Amino acid sequence: PWVFMLLAVVYLYAFPYFDALRSAAEMPRILTTQEIVDHGRMSLDTRLGDMGSRNDLSSAPNGHKYANKPPGPSFLAVPAYWICKQLGMTSLRACTWAFRVSAVTLPSLLFLPLFYRFTRRFSAHEGTRRTVLLAYALGSPALVYGILFMSHQISAALAGIAFMAAVTLVRKEQHRPARHAALVGLCAGLALMMDYQSFIASFFIAVYLLVKARHKLRTVVAGLVGALPPTLVLLLYHQHAYGSPWKTGYSFADDPHPRQSFGGMAG
């Protein structure tokens, strides 16, 4: 336990914040959360003056401006912003800290014990497993992205949980395989709602289940049922913002490079 307490101190103590920077990766997500709570909308038309760079915006066919990335992190931060409003702590600095901690840092910390437990499959040596844990938690991009209001680490954690559940299901280490398959689908769908690029991990997890699962049809159906809620929310957001469930913010990005990409990836 002391190792996880030490990691929590590191993750929660660090707060890299520069007000004048107005990070293009964080600001659209922060402002989207505020607009959802304050005005019941997700467009950022009236908040453009609060931003620095506008590279991470999209100009939708309906004439409104939106963040060009998935809305998952902004949705996760809604409870934190509601609490901030009740406490009168609505400065950009306070909201940035609250959104980072609630939507990214705490989920990232909760993932670490699961990761550590999973390493038992590969080594029974306690020293080795702790070294791997520290290397991942402190020596990889998990730390950097785990303390910023961005999608990378929360998406990675959800994809990781989906993979762990898939392995447990395939190796028949549980009594309710349908529930584990639904958990795989739910976490994979949530990961996609956080970051479009997570479809790569979701694809390989799905292939793994299709090849290795004992009851393939039951597993596929349960997985699809689990993935349906977050996927449906994402498709409804696309329909609302971009006029089609199959169009993403990258299709209408103000920066021309994402428009030439597949799921935000180019080159």
Side-chain angles (χ1 to χ4, degrees), residues 83-105:
I83 294 174
C84 285
K85 291 191 67 174
Q86 305 309 307
L87 298 176
M89 301 170 58
T90 56
S91 68
L92 178 60
R93 183 185 184 92
C95 288
T96 300
W97 181 87
F99 295 0
R100 287 176 179 178
V101 169
S102 64
V104 181
T105 305

Side-chain angles (χ1 to χ4, degrees), residues 181-182 184-190 222-232:
V184 173
L186 176 63
C187 290
L190 287 172
L224 291 175
V225 169
L228 183 60
T231 303
L232 184 60

